[in-house]
Amino acid sequence: MNELVYRAEDLYGRIRNCQACSLAQTRTHAVPGEGPLDAEVLCIGEGPGMQEDKQGRPFVGAAGQFLNELLGAAGFKREEVYICNVLKCRPPGNRDPLPAEIDACRDYLDSQIEMIDPLVIVTLGRFSLSKFFPQAKISRVHGQSREIGGRMLVPMYHPAAALHQQSLRETIVEDFRRLPSIIEQARALRTESTEHGEPVAQEASARQIPLFE
Ligand code: URA
């Protein structure tokens, strides 16, 4: 665990000092992410908003409040899950991330996934979903888990999108309530692959991708 803490601190330091794209000039704080380094669940959002940029922490504004409620509905405390974003710096005016910005941040997110090695990845919104399944439509695949690289991935609507739209709100709460059983599936998957001596947590296996796209 000490080695993990060292690794996380090194990664967070690099993110806070990152100058890889022009968002470095407009950010107040970079937002590396937070949560236990041995978390079973990793939530990936889009990018920091105004509150996150001010505080340097992910999901601390209105969408974050709602995310906390959603996690609660699934039986989790926020402190039990790891939360980060595709982008580590706020796009001005909360515009959509640009492809070059996503590319510039890619290694940071990949390092976080490798470091946390979660049982379940929850993607929040279309930008984090498209990291894993570029062609998938969130409206078609939300709430449906898929095995990917020895763990389960479950796409959810972004809490900000669901916050003000009653029909989406009910849907996202229902989707989050499936999380405990998805974690059970992921545990079984890991036990199985360990027993068969298969390496866990590799890149997506090609046979699963078409099922989702
Ligand atoms: N929306 C996101 O995608 N991430 C945050 O951290 C906050 C709002």
Side-chain angles (χ1 to χ4, degrees):
M1 191 71 177
N2 276 349
E3 196 198 317
L4 262 191
V5 171
Y6 176 79
R7 215 169 130 186
E9 278 170 7
D10 175 64
L11 179 65
Y12 298 166
R14 285 189 284 123
I15 293 172
R16 290 196 182 100
N17 292 313
C18 182
Q19 299 290 330
C21 79
S22 60
L23 295 181
Q25 271 105 63
T26 50
R27 74 178 176 226
T28 312
H29 292 108
V31 181
E34 65 184 26
L37 301 178
D38 58 354
E40 292 189 321
V41 177
L42 168 66
C43 295
I44 308 175
E46 181 176 317
M50 189 169 65
Q51 286 304 324
E52 291 76 20
D53 176 68
K54 272 190 192 156
Q55 298 183 40
R57 295 181 55 210
F59 281 96
V60 289
Q65 285 289 330
F66 188 37
L67 177 61
N68 296 349
E69 280 176 40
L70 292 165
L71 290 168
F76 287 95
K77 295 196 189 91
R78 176 189 168 105
E79 301 71 44
E80 292 172 325
V81 306
Y82 192 92
I83 303 174
C84 66
N85 284 301
V86 171
L87 289 193
K88 309 307 184 196
C89 296
R90 182 191 184 209
N94 293 351
R95 63 159 168 72
D96 285 349
L98 301 175
E101 294 163 353
I102 295 174
D103 276 350
C105 258
R106 189 179 313 279
D107 283 353
Y108 296 135
L109 181 53
D110 287 344
S111 299
Q112 273 168 316
I113 295 170
E114 201 197 309
M115 178 175 79
I116 307 296
D117 190 18
L119 285 176
V120 176
I121 293 178
V122 176
T123 59
L124 301 168
R126 62 199 165 98
F127 286 96
S128 55
L129 171 60
S130 70
K131 172 178 177 62
F132 303 95
F133 297 102
Q135 306 302 324
K137 293 264 173 293
I138 184 84
S139 55
R140 284 193 45 210
V141 302
H142 67 88
Q144 299 171 41
S145 55
R146 286 288 178 274
E147 183 197 333
I148 179 169
R151 56 179 126 247
M152 301 303 285
L153 180 138
V154 53
M156 304 284 191
Y157 280 110
H158 195 289
L163 195 54
H164 304 294
Q165 213 178 313
Q166 193 56 31
S167 58
L168 276 194
R169 203 182 163 105
E170 284 161 17
T171 304
I172 197 175
V173 172
E174 272 173 36
D175 288 348
F176 265 82
R177 286 206 170 113
R178 295 200 188 113
L179 210 42
S181 71
I182 296 169
I183 292 172
E184 282 310 316
Q185 276 176 274
R187 284 203 186 108
L189 185 71
R190 216 164 256 202
T191 310
E192 213 177 279
S193 53
T194 313
E195 278 168 4
H196 290 87
E198 291 169 16
V200 288
Q202 329 115 330
E203 275 306 294
S205 75
R207 89 195 137 86
Q208 278 126 19
I209 291 174
L211 295 174
F212 228 26
E213 295 186 333

